[in-house]
Amino acid sequence: LFKQRVTMAGRQETVKEVYYDQDNGIMSISGVKRQILPDTQDPLSAIFNLRRMQLDKIKEVEMNINTNQKNYILKGTVSLRQVSVGNKPCNIAVVKATIRRRDKNNPYHQSQLTMVLLPDKENIPVLIRVFASGMLINARLMDLGD
């Protein structure tokens, strides 16, 4: 199950619920059933699965994504780097990917994704940057706590 609630000033709130039946290759949204590819993910599950990958052992990533009508592919590369944080070396993994419709290579239906993760800390995402529909969205980890 994937739930999404979008609230914008001056607009009516929209709520989306998508149910995935992986065994039968079907998703349903608002009672309408659609065929999905094997192991299709919602965006949150895709991030969760990226966190579970051994990023030091792979160079490329590919996933099926669908939350609405069309099947999308998330496809990209993984690179490991070392950066300095407060004069201390820190290992990071950078995932750069494109999300596009599977049925067409339409440049109007694609997004750019960059994720920076801490592989030494269970692939915790410290930055997620998405460019989609002419808009840039940044999500940054502000604190790891103790």
Side-chain angles (χ1 to χ4, degrees), residues 111-127:
S111 304
Q112 302 300 317
L113 168 72
T114 303
M115 284 183 67
V116 178
L117 304 114
L118 297 175
D120 299 338
K121 302 273 187 192
E122 301 175 354
N123 292 338
I124 293 174
V126 294
L127 173 67

Side-chain angles (χ1 to χ4, degrees), residues 90-144:
C90 180
N91 295 321
I92 61 169
V94 179
V95 177
K96 290 191 173 198
T98 300
I99 302 168
R100 63 174 174 80
R101 282 180 38 179
R102 272 215 181 257
D103 61 350
K104 297 178 186 172
N105 193 4
N106 185 337
Y108 298 108
H109 289 272
Q110 71 178 21
S111 304
Q112 302 300 317
L113 168 72
T114 303
M115 284 183 67
V116 178
L117 304 114
L118 297 175
D120 299 338
K121 302 273 187 192
E122 301 175 354
N123 292 338
I124 293 174
V126 294
L127 173 67
I128 301 173
R129 176 176 285 157
V130 179
F131 183 75
S133 302
M135 187 165 59
L136 180 63
I137 300 167
N138 286 309
R140 293 183 183 163
L141 178 66
M142 300 304 290
D143 189 1
L144 282 175

Side-chain angles (χ1 to χ4, degrees), residues 23-43:
D23 292 336
N24 294 307
I26 295 171
M27 64 176 273
S28 82
I29 180 169
S30 301
V32 177
K33 293 184 178 184
R34 295 191 172 90
Q35 192 87 28
I36 57 173
L37 297 167
D39 200 28
T40 293
Q41 306 295 312
D42 62 81

